[in-house]
Amino acid sequence: MAQKNYTSERNDYKTPPSVYNNMLAFANRAAFDIDVCCSEENIPAIRHYIDGIDDGLKLPWIGSCFLNPPFKYAEKWVRRAVDQVAKSKSIETEIYAVLPADRCETKYYQECIIKNPHCCFAFLPKKIGFIIPGQEQEDLKASQKIMIAIFSKRAAEIAYTWNFFGGGQFKTNAFLGKKYEGKE
């Protein structure tokens, strides 16, 4: 399968509030429990795993987690999300991820997202811009088509109940286009 390469030298883009606020609204939360991959505290979260201080790839992800990884390193973060949900003893661990939408043909997207019964996803209807640190007051330049993936043992229920941003329909391997009946 194809591999996508991102050439940006930056790893510290910030997620715009329009994206994470919709996730928080869906989760009926004021903040995430953990932002597992950030360069600074820039989204509402009780705990932030800050690059260079904490290693989000080694620390536990418990509760409601937010993930917006550097896109050129997305594979290792996506695989970690799958691992953390699989190891979770409860349904409370849910990882809300902002990911590039142009990798659906890659092996890890197929394994970890598209064919994963514990993942549901939606494509945002248009490109979005990310906030560049130090340029927070600048207008965002729409540059990237993204998808929102939620890794959760409740993926089928989430896919059935949520139409993200009022425009995209969640898809999940567990849902398979059938009415959710509370079973996986």
Side-chain angles (χ1 to χ4, degrees):
M1 294 202 175
Q3 293 293 326
K4 298 286 183 185
N5 295 313
Y6 286 83
T7 58
S8 176
E9 297 300 318
R10 298 194 76 106
N11 290 335
D12 61 350
Y13 291 104
K14 298 178 183 180
T15 308
S18 61
V19 174
Y20 63 73
N21 282 335
N22 278 298
M23 294 174 172
L24 287 167
F26 168 71
N28 198 25
R29 299 180 64 94
F32 293 99
D33 292 317
I34 308 169
D35 180 348
V36 298
C37 178
C38 62
S39 56
E40 63 183 65
E41 294 183 15
N42 60 313
I43 66 144
I46 296 167
R47 175 116 194 246
H48 295 83
Y49 291 166
I50 298 175
D51 186 41
I53 299 171
D54 303 299
D55 188 346
L57 290 170
K58 293 182 180 171
L59 294 168
W61 300 5
I62 300 168
S64 178
C65 302
F66 178 80
L67 170 64
N68 180 7
F71 286 174
K72 65 183 174 181
Y73 303 117
E75 179 175 1
K76 62 185 173 182
W77 292 94
V78 167
R79 290 191 184 280
R80 177 71 174 174
V82 170
D83 178 66
Q84 290 299 284
V85 169
K87 287 182 178 177
S88 176
K89 296 190 183 339
S90 75
I91 62 167
E92 293 181 18
T93 295
E94 294 185 339
I95 300 152
Y96 295 76
V98 177
L99 300 168
D102 62 352
R103 295 191 183 175
C104 293
E105 76 283 0
T106 63
K107 183 178 180 182
Y108 82 94
Y109 260 48
Q110 290 290 317
E111 293 172 353
C112 298
I113 298 172
I114 295 170
K115 295 178 182 176
N116 180 356
H118 294 135
C119 181
C120 58
F121 57 94
F123 295 93
L124 297 190
K126 58 185 179 179
K127 289 182 177 183
I128 68 160
F130 289 88
I131 301 166
I132 299 171
Q135 299 178 21
E136 287 82 0
Q137 303 308 316
E138 301 286 325
D139 289 336
L140 298 181
K141 295 178 182 144
S143 61
Q144 182 68 46
K145 186 88 169 127
I146 66 166
M147 71 184 318
I148 302 301
I150 301 178
F151 299 90
S152 170
K153 291 184 178 173
R154 299 183 322 113
E157 176 186 353
I158 292 167
Y160 181 69
T161 59
W162 188 27
N163 185 351
F164 193 76
F165 281 88
Q169 183 65 44
F170 262 112
K171 306 295 181 199
T172 176
N173 190 41
F175 184 47
L176 297 175
K178 294 184 263 182
K179 182 177 179 185
Y180 179 72
E181 298 173 357
K183 304 174 200 164
E184 287 190 62

